[in-house]
Amino acid sequence: SGGKIAFHTVAEPPSPPMREDETAMLSACERKEAIAIERYEHALEMSWPADLQTLLIHQYTEARDAHEELRALAATTRMSPSE
C-alpha cells in the first residue's frame, strides 16, 4: 500500500563498432599520444640527473615510435572501405 514498484530495463548489448567509431577512437588516441610526446620533449629540455635523463629519453623514444605506428594504423583505417 503506497509502495512504488521500480521497473528496471535491461540494456541491449552494444553493437560491434563501426568503421567511423574505430577512426574516431584512433584519432583520439593519436591526439593524446601527440600531447604526451610534447610533454616529454618539454621535460627533455630541462636538466635531470643522468639516470632520469636516460629513462626519459627511453620513454620518449618508445612513445614516439608507438605514435608513429598509431598514425599509420589510423591512416589505414581512414582509407579502408566500411565493412
Side-chain angles (χ1 to χ4, degrees):
S1 65
K4 294 184 181 181
I5 299 174
F7 292 95
H8 297 280
T9 60
V10 177
E12 291 185 32
S15 60
M18 301 171 87
R19 181 65 64 186
E20 294 83 25
D21 294 338
E22 292 173 11
T23 302
M25 182 180 67
L26 288 170
S27 294
C29 291
E30 185 180 352
R31 285 190 303 274
K32 299 233 184 227
E33 286 286 335
I35 292 168
I37 289 169
E38 288 176 12
R39 290 183 177 162
Y40 273 112
E41 289 170 346
H42 179 71
L44 288 169
E45 293 173 358
M46 299 177 195
S47 178
W48 300 100
D51 57 340
L52 185 53
Q53 183 77 13
T54 300
L55 178 63
L56 284 171
I57 290 170
H58 175 73
Q59 290 178 340
Y60 167 73
T61 303
E62 293 288 320
R64 188 188 60 213
D65 293 347
H67 185 241
E68 289 302 318
E69 289 179 31
L70 186 58
R71 287 179 65 185
L73 180 60
T76 301
T77 303
R78 282 185 208 106
M79 293 186 319
S80 296
S82 296
E83 295 177 357

